Amino acid sequence: MGLLGNYEFNNLEDLLVNQLEDLYDAENRLIEALPKMAEASHSSQLRSAFLTHLQETRGHKQRLEMMFNRLGRKPQRETCPAMKGLIKEGSEMIDAKGDATVRDAALIAAAQRVEHYEMAAYGTVRTLAQQLGHADMARTLQQTLDEEGAADKKLTSLAEGGINANAARPAMAGASA
Ligand SMILES: [Fe+2]
Ligand SMILES: [Fe+2]
C-alpha cells in the first residue's frame, strides 16, 4: 500500500504486493470497461472476443484475490493511473463517429495497448514471484499472462481480416473435384 509517490520498499515482497495491488486495480477497471467495448463493436466476432476476455478478466481478478490470501493480506487496490489513461483512450474510440469498420479497428487499437500493458505487468510480477520462491503463484501468474497474450493475438487476427478470410475460405483440400 502507499500513497502515490510515497512508497517504501524494504524487500522484494513489498514490491510484489505493490505490483499485485496495482494489477488488482487495473483488472477491476477493465471489468467495467470491457462490456462498453463489446457494446460499441460493429463486428459480432469482435464483440464476442471482448465478452470472452471479460470472462477471463473476471478470472484474473479472482486469481489475484487468491494470491493476496496466500500472502496473508486483504485484496487492496492501488490506483493504476496508466490503466485509467488506457481506458480513457478506449472510451474516446467508443465515442468516435465515422465508418463502422474503421471504428472497430480503432477499438482494437485501444484494446491491444491494454493487453500489452497487462502482459508487461504480469511478466514482471511472475518473475518477482519466482525469485521469492512462490512457485505456485508464479505458475498462476504465467497462466494469466498466457491469456493476455492469447487475447492480444485474437485481436491481431481480427484486425488482419480473419472475418473476411473465413468467409472466403475455399473448400477443404482432399475433396475430389
Ligand atoms: Fe487481465
Ligand atoms: Fe487483458
Side-chain angles (χ1 to χ4, degrees):
M1 62 179 231
L3 302 169
L4 204 60
N6 190 28
Y7 293 136
E8 182 174 337
F9 300 130
N10 293 307
N11 52 53
L12 276 184
E13 184 139 331
D14 290 348
L15 181 59
L16 173 70
V17 170
N18 162 269
Q19 297 285 294
L20 291 172
E21 289 177 343
D22 180 281
L23 271 169
Y24 191 55
D25 184 68
E27 297 286 18
N28 273 287
R29 288 178 193 280
L30 281 172
I31 288 168
E32 287 179 27
L34 281 167
K36 298 174 193 162
M37 299 287 277
E39 202 184 329
S41 302
H42 174 71
S43 149
S44 61
Q45 291 196 6
L46 181 57
R47 186 177 316 128
S48 82
F50 282 134
L51 292 175
T52 300
H53 197 52
L54 172 62
Q55 278 308 110
E56 289 172 340
T57 300
R58 293 195 176 110
H60 300 170
K61 177 188 163 173
Q62 283 171 355
R63 284 178 188 152
L64 290 169
E65 287 166 352
M66 282 163 42
M67 290 180 225
F68 285 116
N69 282 339
R70 191 76 195 280
L71 293 166
R73 291 172 183 266
K74 283 210 170 75
Q76 234 174 335
R77 288 171 65 161
E78 171 72 28
T79 298
C80 177
M83 187 56 77
K84 280 176 82 170
L86 290 169
I87 289 174
K88 184 151 186 284
E89 289 193 26
S91 53
E92 280 165 4
M93 298 316 194
I94 288 171
D95 294 338
K97 299 189 173 39
D99 179 82
T101 311
V102 182
R103 286 167 54 219
D104 274 359
L107 293 173
I108 291 174
Q112 288 196 288
R113 280 169 165 76
V114 168
E115 295 314 316
H116 279 252
Y117 179 79
E118 291 190 282
M119 286 156 69
Y122 276 106
T124 299
V125 182
R126 177 223 41 217
T127 300
L128 277 172
Q130 263 166 6
Q131 288 173 326
L132 287 163
H134 299 305
D136 285 1
M137 200 180 288
R139 259 193 301 278
T140 305
L141 289 162
Q142 181 67 50
Q143 234 179 314
T144 298
L145 177 56
D146 291 343
E147 288 173 11
E148 310 294 14
D152 179 59
K153 283 205 177 71
K154 174 75 184 173
L155 290 167
T156 297
S157 79
L158 291 174
E160 286 172 350
I163 297 163
N164 296 347
N166 271 348
R169 181 171 293 166
M172 294 296 290
S176 51

